[in-house]
Each structure stands twice: as C-alpha cells, then as structure tokens.
Amino acid sequence: MDLLNTLVDKGLRRELPTREEALAVLATSDDDLLDVVAAAGKVRRQWFGRRVKLNYLVNLKSGLCPEDCSYCSQRLGSKAEILKYTWLKPDEASKAAAAGVAGGAKRVCLVASGRGPTDRDVDRVSKTIEAIKDQNEEVEVCACLGLLSGGQAEKLRAAGADAYNHNLNTSESTYGKITSTHTYADRVDTVQQAQAAGLSACSGLIAGMGESDEDLIDVVFALRDLDPDSVPVNFLIPFEGTPLAEEWNLTPQRALRILAMVRFVCPDVEVRLAGGREVHLRTMQPLALHLVNSIFLGDYLTSEGQAGQSDLEMIADAGFEVEGTDTTTLPQHRGGGGCATACGDAPAETEAAPEVPAARTDLVSVRRRGAGTDLAPNA
C-alpha cells in the first residue's frame, strides 16, 4: 500500500505526515489492519527497538473532584462506585510505589484528583517524591496534579520530580462538550509550565468519547506541536454513573488504528498504551506492543487492570523486553542522552542464538471433563 510505504519513510525520517495521510490510517479497512500494524511497527522499532517501558500509577487522592469532566469517574456528581479517600501519607504512597517498582516499573506516576494543587498540596507531594526517591533513586517520578499555578512546577522539579502529566484529552473545538469548569487553553498552559520548569512533559488523549476522526487528528497534531516526551493514549472506560456511560464506540481494530496513527504522527516519542486497553483491545493487546513502547503495569486510578504478572508474560510472549532503569527511553536527538543498543540506528550486532525457553509446566492442565468423564465438556 503506497500510503503505508510513505508513512514508514516519513516516520524513519521523523517527518510529520499530512492530515490527509493521518486520516487515511483511521479509514483503513479491517482487512488491511495487519499491514497497518506492521508498517507502524517498523517506525516503533527504529526509535525504540523491542523495549517496553513500564509505568505504575499511585492514586494519591481519589474521588470528590470539583471538576465536571464527563469521562471521569471522580468528577463532580459522579455516581460511580469508586474508592474515595483523601491524601495518602508519604510513607503510604512510597509503599504503594514500591509494589510497582518490584514488578518492573521504571516510572511511578503520582496522581491526585482535583482542579489543581494548592501550595500546601505541592509540599505534600514533594515529600512523597522524596520518600520514593530515597527508596528507589533510579526510578522516574511523574506528577499529575491538575492545573498548575506559578512556581509549582519548579517546586516539584526541585523535589526530584522527573516529569509532569497533563492530558489534552480531545480537540480544542470539542473540548467544551466534555468539560465546562476549565478550558483547553488551561491545559496547554500547564503543559508549557512543566516544560519551562525543566520537567519532561507527558500529555495525551482519550479516544472513544464520540469524537470524529477529525477530532482525533486535531488533538494528536496539537500534541505534536506541544512536543511532549511521552503521549499516553487512553481509551474511554464508560463507568456507570458518568455522562459517558453509554459511549461504547471502540472495537479492538479501531483502537489499533488509532495507536498506529499516533505512532506515525509521533514517531520518536514515547507512546504509552494507557487506561482502557483491557476493556477495548482485549485479546488484541499483544498487537498493540508493535505500536507503543510504554504501558501501565497493573491497576489504574479507579479501575482494575490486568494482573501485573500477566502484563509481563504478554510482553515476553510477544517477543519484547522490559526496559531497565539503566536504559534511556528517548532517542539521543530528543535529549535522551543516548538510546543504548536497542534503538534502530544503533550499531548492528551479531545475532545471538535464540534462547531455549524453560519448561512451563504451569501452562499444561490435564483434561478431567468431557468425554470419558461424568463432567460437562468445555464447550
């Protein structure tokens, strides 16, 4: 397909596709899906090899948010039956983070519900960051606390934060339809404050809220213009008790096309498969690893995720490897300080003989139902 060949060539050169080309990716048929995944996979492997970065969420303060974001189970007026609690103490948050680090997470993401932090909240989170860094100096810490006020990003950076997350979520033209208590411009401003303070910017989107293809293209191109280091792609989890509870618009095939489009538009950026992957990709999750180079490990803010061990097994079975804390995620030209030997433009090495996998006797179960037994068959 000429379109895919063009997009691969552009991705390998870090050249931005046209809007028409990006729209065409979303319009490809299910018959062409594997070709789309294979093409975007070439771009992913060029810049990130076969490494998968693991991230772990710690919800510092859950629920009771005064904002009215339609997609969020923590929103004002939400009837979703989620956990609600006030701020975790630094030692509690550090203990929670340690579980993710033990599972292989390279980055810990500290998230708190609310419009934005007070200066006292920033001091509280700073102590939490310091507690985590004391236990795991090499682990990255990303804060996600809402809209920032002047000087707060600098305080978080001084406390040891490496990154700040604040998603654009959807296009500027449709933003007012999902939130009325703050603006799209507010979100852009917070991302820019984080960047100005020297924090690595993390900003992404939510797909599946009823948006058009044009809306998706708008927000991804806006993210490209903002130039964050990481772009999390969330798929709406339609919580009962929220305004978007009936928005079941995604298929696994649609989700994969969206991820491929993001990779083509952001070829050398950490693209993270975030919330909703289990809900919408389901058994197609391993294919997504050919498009993204980063995922969340285990649970999310208010919903449970796939078991962490299952995540690790999925990565290994798909032929990928977990990125270690001693490996720089981003390519050198993005200020990553080097891309180790896994990046596509690294010196070629002699291919080692494939390692023979150890016996997995736990995967083999003797049949004790169906024909020849008194038990019903598995059918």
Side-chain angles (χ1 to χ4, degrees):
M1 186 185 296
D2 289 342
L3 168 67
L4 297 179
N5 290 334
T6 297
L7 288 170
V8 170
D9 288 343
K10 287 187 173 183
L12 300 183
R13 298 194 305 266
R14 295 184 284 127
E15 182 180 337
L16 184 67
T18 66
R19 288 180 58 89
E20 290 72 23
E21 288 166 342
L23 282 166
V25 173
L26 297 180
T28 53
S29 70
D30 288 350
D31 289 342
D32 293 324
L33 181 62
L34 289 180
D35 292 332
V36 172
V37 172
K42 291 180 181 177
V43 178
R44 178 250 199 267
R45 288 191 299 276
Q46 166 69 16
W47 301 115
F48 299 98
R50 302 191 72 84
R51 293 174 289 123
V52 179
K53 181 176 180 177
L54 298 181
N55 309 266
Y56 189 72
L57 282 168
V58 177
N59 196 348
L60 297 177
K61 181 166 73 78
S62 182
L64 308 174
C65 182
E67 302 296 287
D68 68 354
C69 306
S70 301
Y71 52 81
C72 185
S73 60
Q74 304 183 79
R75 74 187 297 272
L76 178 70
S78 171
K79 293 180 173 58
E81 297 180 357
I82 62 169
L83 288 171
K84 298 181 178 70
Y85 52 85
T86 190
W87 291 94
L88 295 182
K89 295 177 181 177
D91 61 330
E92 294 172 325
S94 181
K95 183 178 180 180
V101 173
K106 179 177 178 177
R107 172 175 287 190
V108 173
C109 304
L110 303 176
V111 188
S113 63
R115 178 180 178 84
T118 64
D119 288 343
R120 182 183 177 187
D121 293 335
V122 170
D123 291 340
R124 189 196 321 262
V125 174
S126 294
K127 291 175 183 172
T128 298
I129 294 169
E130 291 164 359
I132 292 172
K133 290 281 191 175
D134 283 345
Q135 296 295 320
N136 305 280
E137 183 179 356
E138 73 285 359
V139 170
E140 299 173 6
V141 176
C142 178
C144 178
L145 311 174
L147 300 173
L148 292 173
S149 301
Q152 292 183 331
E154 288 78 6
K155 289 182 180 178
L156 291 169
R157 184 75 183 98
D162 300 283
Y164 195 84
N165 166 261
H166 200 60
N167 296 328
L168 298 188
N169 290 328
T170 193
S171 68
E172 184 174 13
S173 62
T174 60
Y175 196 82
K177 296 178 182 178
I178 63 167
T179 305
S180 68
T181 47
H182 61 267
T183 67
Y184 179 91
D186 291 332
R187 287 188 169 266
V188 171
D189 178 68
T190 285
V191 175
Q192 292 174 334
Q193 284 192 54
Q195 290 172 316
L199 291 166
S200 175
C202 174
S203 188
L205 65 142
I206 304 173
M209 297 190 291
E211 69 281 338
S212 67
D213 284 1
E214 288 76 11
D215 288 325
L216 285 172
I217 300 302
D218 283 347
V219 67
V220 175
F221 273 63
L223 287 165
R224 174 68 183 245
D225 289 341
L226 269 180
D227 197 30
D229 290 324
S230 57
V231 175
V233 180
N234 297 275
F235 299 110
L236 176 71
I237 301 176
F239 274 95
E240 291 186 22
T242 64
L244 298 183
E246 304 302 319
E247 294 287 343
W248 290 88
N249 303 307
L250 296 171
T251 64
Q253 294 80 12
R254 167 76 169 170
L256 287 169
R257 281 191 288 270
I258 291 169
L259 291 171
M261 181 271 289
V262 175
R263 173 55 71 195
F264 285 129
V265 178
C266 305
D268 58 340
V269 169
E270 177 189 341
V271 177
R272 183 178 309 141
L273 181 54
R277 65 175 163 97
E278 299 90 344
V279 175
H280 295 291
L281 281 165
R282 302 188 287 278
T283 58
M284 302 284 272
Q285 288 182 73
L287 272 182
L289 295 177
H290 292 272
L291 308 170
V292 306
N293 63 294
S294 180
I295 66 170
F296 279 110
L297 178 74
D299 295 337
Y300 302 98
L301 295 177
T302 61
S303 65
E304 292 187 350
Q306 187 167 277
Q309 185 59 39
S310 296
D311 288 336
L312 297 175
E313 291 171 356
M314 177 181 71
I315 291 168
D317 288 347
F320 292 86
E321 60 184 23
V322 173
E323 181 175 294
T325 55
D326 58 345
T327 302
T328 303
T329 299
L330 296 175
Q332 188 173 13
H333 63 263
R334 290 195 61 87
C339 54
T341 58
C343 287
D345 55 356
E349 295 182 2
T350 303
E351 186 172 345
E355 183 178 345
V356 178
R360 288 293 304 274
T361 56
D362 58 307
L363 298 178
V364 181
S365 298
V366 175
R367 180 175 67 86
R368 302 193 185 280
R369 59 191 174 195
T373 76
D374 296 328
L375 299 177
N378 178 27

